[in-house]
Amino acid sequence: MLRKVGKIYMKYLKRIICMVLVIFTLNSVFISSFSYAAYDATTAQSLLKKYKNEDTDNDSEETIEWGTDILSAKAYSVLDYDSGKIIMESDTANDKFSIGNIVKLMTLYIAFDSLADGSITLETEIPVNKNAQDISVGRERVYLDYGKKEVITVKQAIEAICNANAFDAAYALAEKIGMNESGFVAMMNDKAKELGLVNTNYVDSTGVAKMSDGQYSTANDIVMLSYYLIKN
């Protein structure tokens, strides 16, 4: 998908993916995890080294069992980009969690999809409405101003989401693509089903809703979404 809309967005996309992923570009391994996971350079190098060593000696299709000495997280999932297979996961990798800002990964996926099929362009204008302004109060935003009848482009909205995690830009972009947010959320859930994210459900485009509102995902689903977001 990124190839269809241009390489310029790879740098922006990586910034938002880094909220939930550690990316090992040398061996193309993704780690998707929920809160309370602490990753540093030593942990990353240890994981990569162990993966390379054990993968060399393991010709089977089975998932490598590494135990719990490398990663400590509420839930995690490791995917090998070359094969598209999950090679390591916690016992809770399919447990549903409230996902907050991670919702914006799917918001971006739908935006890139819409760019690819031509329904919008980078220069398509988005009038800022009051809902977009109100949803961002007290949250990360780029201070879009409904009162001044501000207009932004799709390109500016994507950059605001990736660089600033902007709730107002995400909401405005969702309403532009889906005609309204509920229409956009329906697109998000349809795409989740299409990608096989069976333990994911979206209620909004920004991540305000919680699991108690019916919005959730899993470590395995998020790592797969991130994989498809970069691959397609």
Side-chain angles (χ1 to χ4, degrees):
M1 184 181 302
L2 290 177
R3 289 190 293 272
K4 295 178 182 177
V5 299
K7 294 182 179 179
I8 186 174
Y9 286 104
M10 178 61 82
K11 63 179 180 180
Y12 298 122
L13 186 59
K14 281 183 178 178
R15 291 176 186 174
I16 195 167
I17 288 180
C18 281
M19 284 191 274
V20 292
L21 301 173
V22 174
I23 301 177
F24 299 110
T25 55
L26 290 178
N27 232 42
S28 302
V29 177
F30 292 153
I31 300 177
S32 168
S33 71
F34 286 93
S35 56
Y36 311 119
Y39 300 120
D40 55 22
T42 301
T43 303
Q45 290 169 3
S46 176
L47 174 61
L48 182 57
K49 181 178 179 181
K50 196 157 190 176
Y51 167 66
K52 289 173 67 177
N53 289 341
E54 297 198 20
D55 189 53
T56 300
D57 300 328
N58 191 337
D59 296 326
S60 72
E61 294 292 325
E62 297 179 0
T63 300
I64 299 170
E65 297 293 340
W66 288 333
T68 59
D69 57 323
I70 294 181
L71 298 178
S72 175
K74 193 172 183 180
Y76 60 82
S77 181
V78 181
L79 179 143
D80 171 48
Y81 184 84
D82 292 334
S83 66
K85 294 180 180 179
I86 292 174
I87 58 174
M88 178 181 177
E89 62 184 284
S90 65
D91 292 338
T92 54
N94 287 311
D95 288 359
K96 298 172 182 177
F97 295 92
S98 183
I99 52 177
N101 291 322
I102 301 174
V103 164
K104 294 187 182 74
L105 288 176
M106 182 60 86
T107 301
L108 287 173
Y109 196 109
I110 300 299
F112 289 134
D113 240 0
S114 299
L115 285 166
D117 67 23
S119 56
I120 58 173
T121 71
L122 292 175
E123 302 309 317
T124 297
E125 294 187 338
I126 307 172
V128 176
N129 63 32
K130 192 172 186 301
N131 290 335
Q133 180 176 299
D134 291 347
I135 198 71
S136 65
V137 175
R139 301 183 174 96
E140 294 93 339
R141 53 181 171 166
V142 286
Y143 294 91
L144 299 180
D145 196 329
Y146 164 73
K148 294 181 180 179
K149 300 188 183 303
E150 190 170 1
V151 175
I152 62 171
T153 65
V154 168
K155 178 181 178 180
Q156 290 171 328
I158 291 174
E159 290 174 345
I161 295 169
C162 294
N163 288 320
N165 187 31
F167 281 72
D168 45 2
Y171 191 96
L173 181 62
E175 285 207 325
K176 180 64 178 181
I177 296 173
M179 304 301 291
N180 52 55
E181 195 190 31
S182 60
F184 188 83
V185 170
M187 295 172 69
M188 295 170 74
N189 284 314
D190 286 345
K191 183 58 66 174
K193 291 178 182 178
E194 180 185 326
L195 296 176
L197 311 182
V198 297
N199 292 311
T200 295
N201 188 66
Y202 298 105
V203 175
D204 65 29
S205 61
T206 58
V208 172
K210 301 182 183 303
M211 188 166 177
S212 58
D213 301 311
Q215 184 154 269
Y216 52 80
S217 190
T218 67
N220 276 346
D221 277 6
I222 288 172
V223 79
M224 292 307 304
L225 173 58
S226 302
Y227 168 70
Y228 287 128
L229 187 57
I230 294 176
K231 176 179 180 291
N232 292 344

